[in-house]
Amino acid sequence: MKDIKLYFKIIRYGLQFKLMCILSLVFFALGIMFEVMGSTSNSTLGALYISLSGLYTFQLVFSPSVAKIVQVSPYKKKIQTVGSTLISLIFCLTAFTVLVIIRVLRADPTFLAESGSTYAKHYSVLIYAAIIISFLLLYMAFSFKMYIAALIICICTVLVFMLFSMNEHFMFYENVASSLMNGDNPALVIAFSYGIILVGGLLCYIFSTLLYKREISGLAIRNALRQAQAK
């Protein structure tokens, strides 16, 4: 508990603190707006924005570890591995829980019928969001150590995933949701989605630990500093 409090405290010293907070709040607000005001239950746009909102804390926890005073601190490894992963996971799970609540509240038979959807399709968006969150958590583990390679792979993977998601023949997460649904009870779909996110958090921690001794990418830090100074 003491370490968790420390991780939350150092967030304010992260690079681009104000920008990261603004981006997180904007994406979260847009996600909620698209979810609540959307006319179709099959839309993944709101889920995508909400998914992104919890990931900005990784930089805020990780970046203070670059400071010289932290470099010689016994907390350096914890901050770069446990701290950055744990805090990101907490924020991602919180944002995802809001998405779950909205989806449950909007699972009205009339609304689903009007939007030409089913319970399985409606709740499959949770699996879609969980996959996005899990993958981006994994990306974060590489982002400060292999900046260019990680960024290229991340962009390409997300674009391919989103393009495939627009084609109903490749919406595998809908098939998964259909197999997990118990009538109109989404309990298994929700539990499965949380499981995906937790696996993403675990992988983030594992790879953060494996990459710990690798030098931090100077380009990643310079880019963050440049953007911070421009604000």
Side-chain angles (χ1 to χ4, degrees):
M1 184 60 70
K2 181 180 177 181
D3 286 348
I4 293 177
K5 290 181 179 179
L6 172 65
Y7 302 145
F8 274 103
K9 285 181 179 178
I10 65 175
I11 286 178
R12 72 182 71 174
Y13 302 109
L15 286 174
Q16 301 173 284
F17 173 72
K18 290 183 179 179
L19 177 61
M20 294 297 104
C21 289
I22 291 172
L23 287 174
S24 183
L25 290 173
V26 168
F27 273 87
F28 187 66
L30 285 174
I32 291 178
M33 183 184 73
F34 286 127
E35 276 292 302
V36 173
M37 299 179 66
S39 59
T40 173
S41 71
N42 298 335
S43 174
T44 58
L45 187 58
L48 177 62
Y49 278 112
I50 291 176
S51 300
L52 293 172
S53 67
L55 292 159
Y56 292 100
T57 50
F58 188 95
Q59 175 174 313
L60 295 178
V61 178
F62 187 98
S63 57
S65 67
V66 179
K68 290 182 180 180
I69 191 172
V70 182
Q71 288 289 312
V72 295
S73 167
Y75 278 98
K76 176 188 173 183
K77 184 174 182 178
K78 284 187 176 181
I79 291 173
Q80 291 190 7
T81 56
V82 180
S84 53
T85 300
L86 181 60
I87 299 303
S88 297
L89 186 59
I90 289 173
F91 275 87
C92 285
L93 288 172
T94 301
F96 183 75
T97 298
V98 173
L99 175 62
V100 171
I101 293 172
I102 294 174
R103 283 278 150 175
V104 171
L105 292 177
R106 296 207 77 191
D108 178 73
T110 303
F111 170 65
L112 296 179
E114 290 177 351
S115 60
S117 185
T118 63
Y119 282 105
K121 288 183 178 180
H122 179 73
Y123 286 111
S124 69
V125 174
L126 297 179
I127 297 178
Y128 169 88
I131 293 172
I132 291 289
I133 292 172
S134 182
F135 173 74
L136 291 177
L137 280 170
L138 179 59
Y139 158 72
M140 290 297 174
F142 293 88
S143 60
F144 274 88
K145 299 299 178 81
M146 304 169 63
Y147 181 69
I148 295 297
L151 184 61
I152 292 174
I153 293 173
C154 177
I155 292 174
C156 292
T157 303
V158 171
L159 286 176
V160 169
F161 178 71
M162 291 178 66
L163 286 173
F164 273 98
S165 297
M166 294 177 185
N167 189 321
E168 61 181 9
H169 298 295
F170 294 99
M171 290 182 179
F172 62 91
Y173 51 89
E174 286 190 5
N175 295 328
V176 175
S178 296
S179 64
L180 293 174
M181 285 293 297
N182 180 18
D184 60 353
N185 186 346
L188 287 178
V189 175
I190 294 172
F192 182 71
S193 300
Y194 274 110
I196 293 173
I197 297 174
L198 291 174
V199 169
L202 178 61
L203 291 174
C204 179
Y205 168 71
I206 290 173
F207 282 99
S208 292
T209 303
L210 291 174
L211 293 169
Y212 170 70
K213 293 185 178 181
R214 186 185 180 95
E215 288 293 324
I216 296 175
S217 170
L219 183 59
I221 298 299
R222 287 195 298 272
N223 184 55
L225 284 171
R226 190 182 305 114
Q227 292 181 23
Q229 291 170 354
K231 301 299 177 180

